[in-house]
């Protein structure tokens, strides 16, 4: 069986999203939990890659990093105001259900 996606949330993602995923048994690490708030985006992406975690972010700078060839374990990106917390939670559960860690490697999913 393929390894399930594990998430790393950028510091701007609402904690309720992480809480909702955790209630469903999905592995989530937030920048707050990891003590990484305020760190450089490239460093955050490298940290997440080292832990094979897909970065969830609203920050378009991560898209620039991916386009420049930075290696990563996956990026899930959307506009900050596109979804309610519940809608974003459903999108992430769906992503978790249809793609695995290998499939997310160096992939950007626009939510």
């Amino acid at each position: 069986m393929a390894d399930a996606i594990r998430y790393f949330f950028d510091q701007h993602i609402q904690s309720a999203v992480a809480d909702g995923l955790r209630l469903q048994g999905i592995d989530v690490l937030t920048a707050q939990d990891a003590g990484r708030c305020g760190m450089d985006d490239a460093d955050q992406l490298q940290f997440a890659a080292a832990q094979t975690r897909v970065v969830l972010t609203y920050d378009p700078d991560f898209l620039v990093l991916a386009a420049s060839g930075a290696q990563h374990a996956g990026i899930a990106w959307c506009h900050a105001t596109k979804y309610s917390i519940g809608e974003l939670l459903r999108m992430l559960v769906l992503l978790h259900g249809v793609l695995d860690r290998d499939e997310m490697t160096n992939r950007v999913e626009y939510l």
Side-chain angles (χ1 to χ4, degrees), residues 16-36:
V17 179
D19 294 341
L21 289 176
R22 288 176 180 142
L23 285 173
Q24 296 188 49
I26 296 174
D27 187 332
V28 177
L29 178 66
T30 67
Q32 292 85 343
D33 295 337
R36 299 188 58 80

Side-chain angles (χ1 to χ4, degrees), residues 2-5 54 73 95-105:
D3 291 326
I5 290 173
V54 172
L95 182 63
H96 183 269
V98 298
L99 295 174
D100 62 34
R101 284 189 219 175
D102 289 340
E103 293 168 320
M104 279 303 298
T105 299

Side-chain angles (χ1 to χ4, degrees), residues 13-97:
I13 306 298
Q14 302 88 333
S15 61
V17 179
D19 294 341
L21 289 176
R22 288 176 180 142
L23 285 173
Q24 296 188 49
I26 296 174
D27 187 332
V28 177
L29 178 66
T30 67
Q32 292 85 343
D33 295 337
R36 299 188 58 80
C37 291
M39 300 233 176
D40 176 80
D41 293 338
D43 186 49
Q44 298 285 43
L45 193 62
Q46 186 177 42
F47 171 81
Q51 296 205 359
T52 60
R53 291 182 178 275
V54 172
V55 174
L56 173 64
T57 186
Y58 303 136
D59 186 345
D61 292 342
F62 283 89
L63 303 177
V64 173
L65 287 168
S68 74
Q71 299 296 299
H72 56 88
I75 298 170
W77 183 87
C78 70
H79 289 281
T81 58
K82 185 173 183 179
Y83 297 113
S84 69
I85 289 172
E87 290 168 331
L88 181 55
L89 181 59
R90 284 189 290 280
M91 293 296 295
L92 295 170
V93 169
L94 177 63
L95 182 63
H96 183 269

